[in-house]
Amino acid sequence: MIGIVRQWLVGLPAYLWGGWGAIASLLLLLASWEFASQWLDPLALPDPRTVLATLHGLLTDGNAWSELGVTGRRALSGFALSLGVGSALGMLAGLSMTAAMMARPWVTVLVGTPPIGWLVLAMLWFGASDGTPVFTVFVACFPPIFIGAMQGVRTLDGQLREMAQAFALPPLQRLFDLYLPHVLSYLFPAWITALGVSWKVVVMAELLATADGVGAALAVTRSQLDTAGSLAWIVAVVGSLLAVEYLLLEPVKREVERWRTLA
Amino acid sequence: MAHIGVTAPVLELAGVGHAYGACTVLSGIDLHLPAGRIHALVGPSGCGKTTLLHLVAGLLPLQDGAIRNGFARSACMFQQPRLLPWKSALDNIALGLKARGVPRAARHAQARDQARRFGLDDTALAQYPQQLSGGMQSRVALARALVLSPDLLLLDEAFSALDVGLKAELYRQLLAEQARRPMAVLMITHDLMEAVRLAHAVWVMAPEPGRIATGFRFDDAPAQRTDAQVYARTAGLLDDATVRASFGLDAPAPAAPLALAAVGGLRC
Ligand SMILES: Nc1ncnc2c1ncn2[C@@H]1O[C@H](COP(=O)(O)OP(=O)(O)OP(=O)(O)O)[C@@H](O)[C@H]1O
Ligand SMILES: [Mg+2]
């Protein structure tokens, strides 16, 4: 674990340098936005500089940080719950053909139920508490993680499984040396997908159900017809998602999957 | 030859058969492998040698007959290397030791020791399996089995990916290990000369269904066998009508077949 943290710190500069392409493409997006805003009513689409100035204002008066913190806490709690429960249950389901077959329709039901439906149920169950956004995020993140974990276990090479049996690997070693390294290459993409889902769903849940957080702030800007303010909040949310994904998950993934790229 | 006491462990197969679905691949296999002995299984491709080895290793459920494995510790080398792609060569070799609960430093030391004897240096040990050559991978797989100091070693074409020099070196290593302690070895090979060089008994299998067609005993110590002896015995084996039939070769040459008995082989 310490090793992974150290590798993460050591690898960060090279990783960021390698991200120039991504940054350039983001700047291109910004440029098209700027271009489009010249032709549109500022009420429909304010130009990026106005939005960034609004965002700067929100961040410097200190308000935005606490809202972002509240939203981040809810999104990450729901995501972490899903990550733990979904990964564990998915891996267990992958071990048994019967469980996998039984789980499939449940997952289809989960995927098919719109998040807004869960949100309404959650509001009935949890009211205006943190439970509503956290639960909604949990349910929305669960299917991709569960499916990823299940697929990962099911695709493990039978020859390696046989080898582990021949060498009498005890259950814990089987988990950490055999299953997890393989399953992680299915889990990481699933986790990244779920993280994106969690960010979207939490804002939606807050918009409808809570009095604080970015979603609630968006509700206020909407009622004031403050497009620049709305866009500023959206940029803040997307920016924080990008930060979590590319500064945390992606480098960890690279380190854990080093064996794959070296080969 | 080492004296085998009555209590010495044996591997005993009686009437073992196996079918994959409706397809019978093995039937009526009898085998008696005592401690300290090397038995080789040869036979045409697809005749069920690997299946038999997996049955002995307990990796396939026994369908027919009986297997009595009196050995406390067996280790297995598969036909494919089957290394964990996410672990370094060193960690792969130490895998079985880790399973036995040997602490990290000790198991790495033992694994490194075994690897050195197989000509794997520290650079190779730090690499992942995909970065190793095929021959290196098979040496890692063999080291992973031998580092466990098994009483019964099961080898499935262990030496087929190696050059002649390495083969000779690993034969020497295997026989040296066997001289130290009474390890029993059941090895599958496609190389008759390898079987004749290493084994105390060579079992020739015939296909459809896989069965033991004939067997030969060589009672001298393998380490003492000369190249000339090995060539003569291999030639004798290849002249045997049953062996030729098992491999689908033409009938033996009409010239008087070299009598295997004259070079120390006994049909059993
Ligand atoms: N898991 C399996 N399911 C169905 N059939 C199998 C399976 N494994 C092997 N067979 C069949 O059983 C027969 C014997 O296979 P086996 O692997 O034991 O042969 P082998 O003697 O080791 O051959 P080779 O020398 O080529 O390694 C083959 O015809 C093969 O097609
Ligand atoms: Mg085989």
Side-chain angles (χ1 to χ4, degrees), chain A residues 156-170 173 176-183 255-256 258-260 262-263, chain B residues 54 57-60 74-76 78 80-87 92 94-96 98-100 128 130-131 141 144-145 148:
Chain A
L156 178 67
D157 185 1
Q159 294 198 338
L160 289 184
R161 226 180 309 204
E162 231 171 35
M163 186 278 293
Q165 193 187 339
F167 282 87
L169 264 53
Q173 194 190 354
F176 284 106
D177 288 353
L178 183 67
Y179 281 101
L180 270 186
H182 171 78
V183 172
E255 185 44 38
V256 171
R258 202 158 47 97
W259 62 272
R260 209 180 271 284
L262 278 181
Chain B
H54 284 196
L59 297 174
L60 285 171
S74 30
C76 185
F78 297 93
Q80 314 78 10
R82 303 200 186 183
L83 304 174
L84 295 176
W86 42 81
K87 287 206 167 280
N92 265 293
L95 190 77
K98 187 177 177 190
R100 282 190 188 161
Y128 290 105
Q130 306 94 305
Q131 300 171 290
R144 177 176 67 183
L148 293 172

Side-chain angles (χ1 to χ4, degrees), chain B residues 20 25 43-52 79 156-157 190:
Chain B
Y20 289 110
V25 293
S45 183
C47 73
K49 304 179 295 295
T50 298
T51 307
L52 184 62
Q79 193 166 353
D156 199 343
E157 296 183 29
H190 279 300

Side-chain angles (χ1 to χ4, degrees), chain B residues 44 204-207 211 213 238 240-252:
Chain B
V204 182
M205 289 180 69
R211 64 210 128 87
L238 268 172
D240 186 272
T242 324
V243 175
R244 294 188 75 86
S246 303
F247 284 100
L249 292 167
D250 308 331

